[in-house]
Amino acid sequence: MQPYDPNAPPATVIVGAQQPMMQQPMMQQPMMQQPMMQQPMMQQPMMQQPMMVGGAVIAGQQKDFMVALLLSIFVGSLGVDRFYLGYTGLGILKLLTLGGCGLWWLIDLILLVTGSMTDVNGMPLKK
């Protein structure tokens, strides 16, 4: 018996012989060509990375730098900036410690201004 080949054309079984014989069909169907994968070009805008939410894949949105900066300045000690970036656990910790008594708030502010902070998907903030 031959191994299964998904690319082989369908075969017809002739019944009545001691062992079933395989006969190739007269006309072969043309093979479907798959489109070639295009490599991303440098001029294209940055594509959104998919993320898993409840078992479904959705595209993440790039977070805005100015929104994150303003949230960090005015309500950063309450962790709102971390919630905005998707870091829910860190937002709760920052809320409970009031921004690490101001130290965590200052470090997050410096990280934002220097451009070192990303969202939960690792995407840089949109400026």
Side-chain angles (χ1 to χ4, degrees):
M1 179 156 211
Q2 295 178 350
Y4 174 72
D5 183 10
N7 295 325
T12 309
V13 177
I14 300 176
V15 182
Q18 297 225 354
Q19 289 184 338
M21 296 172 51
M22 302 298 280
Q23 179 183 359
Q24 295 292 330
M26 297 301 278
M27 297 177 62
Q28 293 184 356
Q29 296 176 353
M31 291 183 57
M32 299 289 286
Q33 291 183 346
Q34 295 180 353
M36 296 180 66
M37 298 290 290
Q38 294 180 355
Q39 294 182 357
M41 297 173 59
M42 296 304 283
Q43 294 87 6
Q44 291 180 347
M46 189 165 78
M47 300 300 293
Q48 297 177 352
Q49 297 175 353
M51 64 182 210
M52 295 290 292
V53 174
V57 178
I58 62 170
Q61 264 188 337
Q62 197 173 12
K63 303 295 183 182
D64 191 64
F65 168 77
M66 190 56 70
V67 172
L69 182 63
L70 291 174
L71 286 173
S72 184
I73 291 171
F74 294 112
V75 286
S77 61
L78 300 176
V80 176
D81 55 339
R82 289 292 185 154
F83 285 115
Y84 172 70
L85 295 174
Y87 298 104
T88 308
L90 292 176
I92 291 171
L93 284 173
K94 199 171 175 184
L95 174 66
L96 295 175
T97 62
L98 294 176
C101 296
L103 184 61
W104 194 353
W105 170 78
L106 183 62
I107 292 171
D108 278 352
L109 191 60
I110 292 170
L111 287 174
L112 270 169
V113 171
T114 60
S116 301
M117 185 156 314
T118 61
D119 69 358
V120 73
N121 297 321
M123 294 176 60
L125 303 179
K126 180 175 60 174
K127 292 189 179 189

